[in-house]
Amino acid sequence: IFHQQPYYPAPEQYNYTGYLPQESYGQPLVALPYQAPQPGFGFGPSPPAAGLGPRPGPNNFGEIPTAPQGAGCQPPVGPCPNNKYRTIDGSCNNLRYTNWGIPNSKYARLLPPKYSDGIHAPPTSVSGEPLPGSRLISIVMFPDVPIPDPVWTLITMTWGQIVTHDMSMSMGTTQAKRHSIRCCDDNGRLLSNNPDVHCFPITIPEDDPVFSKFHRECMNFVRSTTDQETGCNAGNKPAEQLVVVSHWMDASFVYGSNQRLADTLREGIGGRLRVEFRDGRPWPPAAANKSAVCDQQTEEEPCYQFGDRRANQNPQLTVLQILFLREHNRIATVLSHINPHWDDETLYQESRRVLIAEFQHINYHEWLPIILGTDNMLKYGLLYKTKGFTSDYKENVDPSVINAHAHAAFRYFHSSIQGQFHLIGEDRNLLSAVRLSDYFNRPTIIEKGYNFDHLSRGLTTQSQEEVDPFFTSEITDFLFRAGRPFGRDLRAIDVQRGRDHGLASYNDYREFCGLPRAHKFEDFSDYIDVERIEKLALLYNHPDDVDLSVGGSLEAHVPNTLAGPTFLCLLTEQFYRTKVSDRYFYELGGQVGSFTPEQLNEIRKSSVARIFCDNSDDLHTIQPQGFLKISEKNPLVSCNDYDRIPSIDLNFWKEESYSHAAPQYGYQEDYKKK
Ligand code: HEM
């Protein structure tokens, strides 16, 4: 469709070059040729494509030689002082394009949108007919077949969710809460009288295995806000959706993305973030408007305030948010003893700088290799084999989160969500199993008894669900059900959101990523198994109609990664951009915000296991590789085993010019002595 729209840039402009950054103090370890999936690998038989496969990974698209694109009509900010610390909203990270990566700016696009009217109307089939309903697609293509992941623990899933929340949230979506705009009435019937212009409801098939029992024909779905509504696009250009948080990997889920929120999260002493002590343990402050973010059953149930408003969405996520909150205060407390002359502001900024560095290190060295594969990351410059600094900063790379990454590729990992979460004792005995849909937006379970530790052990002991085309019914039938017998369907929402954003089709992205374009459904058989192709052919009129969210989720995985070639290409592109566009990236040398070589050496000791050990209530043991299941090669060891689970020595942050000021103590002494 977009070929017929004269105002779209020609597809050739998006020539995929497979750009390989080479210049660095460190050297990429190996540059392996891309391996096509082998038959039988992954979740279905899929014969490898002939010859070399596609070339996933970074290229020069991220480099925008002209005006900034990501920021929409946000005026440039500044003048920007060349500060040692990041700003809260991410402005002034790029000293040339000062507003890159700030909240309320546009998602980036790799391919032009394919709105049916060229402006904002959701796509239709190439035949002009409507596309198959997204709930129908969810039922047919993404059933619930529980297969626990034999290798990766549940924290692998939750970590991914927090990476997502750090980097993007579409403007205009309420995420977990009921939207004030109604497209369906309370009985699940389509509202035909003057529905809001944002309405794009999901149609429920008459014979729906779950919702038909409740006589529902309509699932509410409200379109994302675009630059047309914020006055940045007069309506003559294709609509672009906006990200409400900072795009940078900057732990904004801890600190907030705007200065006002960031300020309210601070205690104002000792560089710490606000906590409330109960039972001698620090908990996050209460949300200002609990009912706006939580589904509590009583007023007393806790509902927390964090840097990200999605943080109460499920207990695993909230546990991880609390661990990071405590980690900040732990760092601040240690630094206040090492540098008693530092004031609140210095302690806050230095602790934040260390925490973001830990987060980035774990992301690029421990978590992303699971998703993207170590070889792939080395090949495309997302990882370097170096004990020194890196020097791969690129001022012309736009950090903006890519629309197809956030609204298709990264959402594939909704497949790794477990329908039940386990509470686990110190001996790794199962204490109880809880249904996910009983605790959406209800963190109340966390503070009870020793649950914080039971949940922490659950995260690092229980398997995540295997990443495959199966999705738990807890999110496809019961999402946010809040006590009702049915809820919403996240997979259908994923597909609908992709259409709402006008994402180009699976076939377009295949081609973009170097795979051959399919002319008939069978041409998908290089990476999708035959049975699934038959289902696709029944649902869709034409191979060009297949949604990116759908086709990409059906591909056999590239060996040693958790994605097929098309999604791997998009994910690699995103995390390449996120890294090289960031002037404050923790490994980067020669910048005003760079660490000393000794400090960098310490940061490189961070691990997910150490975060759990240092910030849980009373956790004694954990396996050193927390994302990996407990095994003989990855056995439980004591949290006091600093050889197996190293810890950062913050003494390397000691400042010599010492003014003998009074130390800023005050973080409940009993907690400090833990
Ligand atoms: C229990 C776990 C999770 C739940 C309940 C959940 C739920 C949701 C919901 C409700 C949305 C918004 C849907 C919309 O209106 O469009 C969303 C968006 C998203 N989710 Fe998840 N999710 C979970 C875990 C994950 C994980 C593990 C990942 C990736 C590793 C992930 C990646 C994303 C992404 C990329 C978005 C879009 C973010 C944006 O707006 O830019 N989610 N998720």
Side-chain angles (χ1 to χ4, degrees), residues 314-360:
N314 69 77
Q316 295 108 321
L317 175 66
T318 314
V319 165
L320 190 53
Q321 288 267 172
I322 295 172
L323 289 169
F324 273 106
L325 170 64
R326 291 183 178 184
E327 175 67 357
H328 173 95
N329 283 354
R330 191 192 68 79
I331 298 167
T333 305
V334 177
L335 287 179
S336 75
H337 286 275
I338 294 171
N339 291 302
H341 59 294
W342 279 1
D343 61 7
D344 173 63
E345 180 65 13
T346 310
L347 285 166
Y348 168 79
Q349 294 295 359
E350 287 293 334
S351 307
R352 175 170 172 251
R353 184 163 161 255
V354 171
L355 184 138
I356 296 170
E358 291 178 336
F359 183 57
Q360 291 189 332

Side-chain angles (χ1 to χ4, degrees), residues 22-28 384-392 587-591 600:
Q22 290 295 348
E23 70 286 16
S24 164
Y25 296 3
Q27 289 298 312
Y384 286 92
K385 184 192 173 190
T386 175
K387 288 198 162 69
F389 294 107
T390 53
S391 63
D392 53 354
E587 284 181 308
L588 200 60
Q591 304 291 335
L600 179 56

Side-chain angles (χ1 to χ4, degrees), residues 415-430:
S415 160
S416 59
I417 299 170
Q418 274 285 3
Q420 291 201 326
F421 54 92
H422 292 173
L423 284 85
I424 302 277
E426 188 65 45
D427 300 336
R428 295 321 189 252
N429 48 321
L430 177 64

Side-chain angles (χ1 to χ4, degrees), residues 54 409 506 509-510 513 515 548 552 555 564-571:
Y506 169 57
Y509 276 98
R510 270 176 66 98
C513 288
L515 291 176
L548 175 61
E555 287 183 349
T566 306
F567 279 172
L568 187 62
C569 151
L570 301 179
L571 295 160

Side-chain angles (χ1 to χ4, degrees), residues 107 157 161 164 168 170 175 313-314 406 411 413-414 497:
Y107 285 95
M157 181 280 287
Q161 190 176 24
T164 290
S168 66
S170 192
Q175 305 281 322
Q313 187 218 59
N314 69 77
R411 290 182 183 224
F413 296 91
H414 284 152
R497 189 66 69 200

Side-chain angles (χ1 to χ4, degrees), residues 107 157-158 160-161 164-165 168-170 173 175-176 221 310 313-314 316 367 405-407 410-411 413-414 416-417 436 440 475 479-480 490 493-494 497:
Y107 285 95
M157 181 280 287
T158 303
Q161 190 176 24
T164 290
H165 291 185
S168 66
M169 175 158 97
S170 192
T173 56
Q175 305 281 322
F221 184 96
R310 295 160 286 188
Q313 187 218 59
N314 69 77
Q316 295 108 321
W367 186 77
H405 163 83
H407 299 295
F410 213 10
R411 290 182 183 224
F413 296 91
H414 284 152
S416 59
I417 299 170
L436 179 62
F440 284 129
I475 57 154
L479 180 75
F480 307 143
L490 184 54
I493 292 171
D494 292 342
R497 189 66 69 200

Side-chain angles (χ1 to χ4, degrees), residues 610-630:
R610 183 45 64 200
I611 296 278
F612 273 87
C613 276
D614 286 352
N615 300 294
S616 55
D617 288 338
D618 196 25
L619 188 76
H620 297 277
T621 57
I622 197 166
Q623 69 276 28
Q625 295 183 63
F627 294 124
L628 189 63
K629 292 210 68 185
I630 300 164

